[in-house]
Amino acid sequence: MSTIKVNSIKNTSTNDGGIAIDNSGHVQIDGQQLATAGALSHRNIVINGAMLVNQTGTATTEGLGGADRFATNSSMTVSGYGIESSQQQDAPANTGFQKSYQVKTTAAVTAGADSYVGFSTHLEFQDIYRAIWAGNSHVTFSFWVKSSITGTFGFSFNPCNVSESTGDGNRRVLHYSNYTISAANTWEYKTIAVDMATFNSSYTVHDTGVDAQVGLGAQLTWTLDVISGGNRDDAALGWNTIASEVRNFVGNSSAADTGFSSTANATFKITGVQFEIGAKATAFEHKSYAEEFQRCKRYRQELDLGTSSNALHMVFHRFGASTGSGFSYIAFPTAMRAAPSFSFQGSVFDGSGFTGNPILGASTPSSARLSSTNSLGTNANAFLRPNTGSGDFLRLRFTSELF
């Protein structure tokens, strides 16, 4: 067999395009990086990485909001720190992105040592198995960021469900990386390649049972600020196994005290989040809104009953020979990760012939039974609808998230 060794192939009449080969043998064609390992389609393990789906709306407290599958977390809210997460119509030009996920400091504080703020996405074990537990030499993360605060920030990759307990109850280890934001309020592209050799030689899977398959498999965390002086600011670059450093929301001396939490109206935007097998980041794998929305429904589903001026009525029925709660049954169009919890947003109309506030009676990944607060007569019906005040609305929310 003959071998031709070159670092590029181009047309004689131009220096543009062609084929480029780096020192590791990885190939680019017309400037587009080819995959170095894994499949050519469905490479991106992150759900909603383009921040298209936002069922929750803007959140003015920590937690879910702004983009499905992403959530903020902060230890500073008890000190008066204010945080907002929202979806923004802002994205890097000529990339195909329209939306971004924004975290904003709405009330700044000077917090004590070990305080932190950031956001994360959590992935199912059965979805990340092919990347983390299949002996791959590398995995790579890529994303676009735009921040009003410049400097060094931290990114944590936490494989979970590992063979060795780390002392924090989550059976996870940590790979920690820094990246630098050079210009304020400017979109910048970041890539982080993780060498899996140490992980592959040190850990095995703890549990592959049914519950573990739909449980937490990995956490990806962007720490926006961690206050120095404790043990959250001394993570080592690369793999960490010390019990106090396997958590997410950590930093090191270079990425601590960014000023994000102490600067009113500081903003951090992100889009194009991709997690893939291989040592090089490939072009973002865009999916249709319908496909991303369907994937997000596994973790969150909302049933909109309209507004006071355009209300839908859900029927509750009382079965049997005695009075008591009425029931209504819902079949989810997409099976959820696990039996969901239930809450509602808005205001419920209460009165004769109506249910009062709905309560979750029982649920499975494919269905739920809601109960009425108000008692119904024998074989009677009652209705659930939004309240009648101006601007009143009602939205039923079912959640089986991993946060």
Side-chain angles (χ1 to χ4, degrees), residues 19-262:
I19 300 172
I21 307 170
D22 68 15
N23 291 336
S24 298
H26 302 141
V27 179
Q28 289 187 355
I29 298 179
D30 279 350
Q32 293 294 314
Q33 180 65 51
L34 299 189
T36 65
L40 297 180
S41 68
H42 291 82
R43 292 185 58 77
N44 192 6
I45 300 171
V46 171
I47 297 173
N48 201 31
M51 311 301 169
L52 291 174
V53 182
N54 177 24
Q55 296 185 76
T56 309
T58 296
T60 55
T61 58
E62 64 175 326
L64 293 162
D68 278 33
R69 306 293 356 272
F70 289 81
T72 57
N73 193 289
S74 174
S75 65
M76 303 179 189
T77 52
V78 294
S79 303
Y81 178 68
I83 188 171
E84 176 188 276
S85 55
S86 62
Q87 185 188 62
Q88 298 291 311
Q89 187 73 27
D90 186 15
N94 303 317
T95 59
F97 300 112
Q98 289 195 71
K99 308 289 187 180
S100 58
Y101 173 68
Q102 176 180 275
V103 180
K104 181 179 181 179
T105 293
T106 55
V109 297
T110 301
D114 259 7
S115 299
Y116 63 87
V117 59
F119 63 93
S120 61
T121 186
H122 295 184
L123 306 173
E124 277 185 63
F125 174 79
Q126 61 187 354
D127 290 337
I128 59 83
Y129 184 91
R130 62 187 170 95
I132 296 178
W133 298 106
N136 295 300
S137 65
H138 292 81
V139 295
T140 297
F141 304 90
S142 54
F143 47 90
W144 287 88
V145 291
K146 180 179 180 180
S147 173
S148 63
I149 304 289
T150 60
T152 303
F153 289 79
F155 172 77
S156 300
F157 167 43
N158 288 97
C160 302
N161 192 19
V162 300
S163 54
E164 180 179 311
S165 176
T166 59
D168 69 348
N170 289 295
R171 290 192 173 273
R172 58 184 173 180
V173 293
L174 163 70
H175 186 281
Y176 177 79
S177 303
N178 285 341
Y179 63 95
T180 300
I181 295 178
S182 302
N185 301 313
T186 302
W187 283 107
E188 299 178 7
Y189 182 62
K190 308 299 177 184
T191 64
I192 296 171
V194 175
D195 188 329
M196 296 294 289
T198 298
F199 180 84
N200 292 337
S201 64
S202 302
Y203 300 102
T204 56
V205 175
H206 170 63
D207 185 3
T208 57
V210 174
D211 290 341
Q213 293 291 337
V214 300
L216 185 59
Q219 300 167 305
L220 314 183
T221 303
W222 291 260
T223 302
L224 302 183
D225 206 356
V226 59
I227 307 305
S228 60
N231 62 9
R232 283 189 179 270
D233 66 341
D234 56 2
L237 293 175
W239 291 103
N240 291 252
T241 56
I242 302 172
S244 64
E245 299 305 343
V246 300
R247 303 168 292 184
N248 52 2
F249 300 105
V250 295
N252 63 9
S253 58
S254 298
D257 305 309
T258 65
F260 187 86
S261 61
S262 59

Side-chain angles (χ1 to χ4, degrees), residues 221-359:
T221 303
W222 291 260
T223 302
L224 302 183
D225 206 356
V226 59
I227 307 305
S228 60
N231 62 9
R232 283 189 179 270
D233 66 341
D234 56 2
L237 293 175
W239 291 103
N240 291 252
T241 56
I242 302 172
S244 64
E245 299 305 343
V246 300
R247 303 168 292 184
N248 52 2
F249 300 105
V250 295
N252 63 9
S253 58
S254 298
D257 305 309
T258 65
F260 187 86
S261 61
S262 59
T263 304
N265 298 314
T267 57
F268 186 100
K269 298 177 184 177
I270 189 169
T271 193
V273 179
Q274 184 147 291
F275 168 22
E276 60 188 306
I277 298 169
K280 293 284 188 177
T282 62
F284 183 83
E285 187 176 40
H286 286 277
K287 297 182 177 70
S288 69
Y289 178 88
E291 184 175 353
E292 290 286 30
F293 188 33
Q294 191 74 6
R295 297 171 80 200
C296 289
K297 283 183 177 181
R298 179 167 172 79
Y299 307 92
R300 191 176 195 85
Q301 295 192 35
E302 302 204 356
L303 181 60
D304 190 350
L305 294 185
T307 65
S308 56
S309 61
N310 185 30
L312 302 178
H313 290 64
M314 179 180 288
V315 179
F316 284 61
H317 186 72
R318 175 65 187 173
F319 299 95
S322 62
T323 61
S325 295
F327 304 104
S328 187
Y329 295 86
I330 297 171
F332 301 129
T334 299
M336 304 193 74
R337 181 190 65 85
S341 61
F342 169 75
S343 62
F344 67 88
Q345 184 182 20
S347 178
V348 175
F349 181 78
D350 195 7
S352 177
F354 290 87
T355 62
N357 291 345
I359 302 168

